[in-house]
Amino acid sequence: LAAAYAVSGALGWPMSMTDIRFKAVWAAVLVLGAFAATVGTRPIAAILFAQATNGFLLPIVAVFLLIVMNRSDLLGEYRNHLWANIFGVLVVIVVLGLSLFKLAQLAGF
């Protein structure tokens, strides 16, 4: 169901159980998951890959969000202020450090 909401939101489709595209994405995810379970695949590798990918992409997305959240032409009075930016930069530094540490670990350093 989360995939249907994500795809519908990204493509601008209605996020409603009455929309056929929403139901199609939801059904496709269910069918693919059931098929993978039926043929005996192990989901752990896919889950670990997805989490590792999220860990490497998070700093990029966080920097993009920091840039956008500081644009007063888009957000006016709701843009980030000093403490939000400090916290955001700290999050980027910590996540980037963790990603680089894990990458170095995987590379054998």
Side-chain angles (χ1 to χ4, degrees), residues 17-100:
M17 291 297 282
T18 59
D19 186 66
I20 190 71
R21 296 169 293 190
F22 183 89
K23 288 194 267 187
V25 172
W26 187 29
V29 170
L30 284 173
V31 168
L32 287 172
F35 176 75
T38 303
V39 298
T41 60
R42 295 182 174 257
I44 299 299
I47 292 169
L48 289 174
F49 176 76
Q51 291 303 311
T53 304
N54 284 335
F56 288 119
L57 292 177
L58 179 59
I60 297 167
V61 172
V63 167
F64 172 76
L65 283 174
L66 277 173
I67 292 168
V68 171
M69 294 302 294
N70 280 290
R71 290 191 48 190
S72 57
D73 60 317
L74 291 175
L75 299 172
E77 67 180 274
Y78 300 107
R79 71 178 184 84
N80 271 1
H81 294 289
L82 179 65
W83 287 108
N85 286 326
I86 290 171
F87 182 70
V89 168
L90 286 173
V91 167
V92 170
I93 290 170
V94 168
V95 172
L96 186 61
L98 289 170
S99 295
L100 292 174

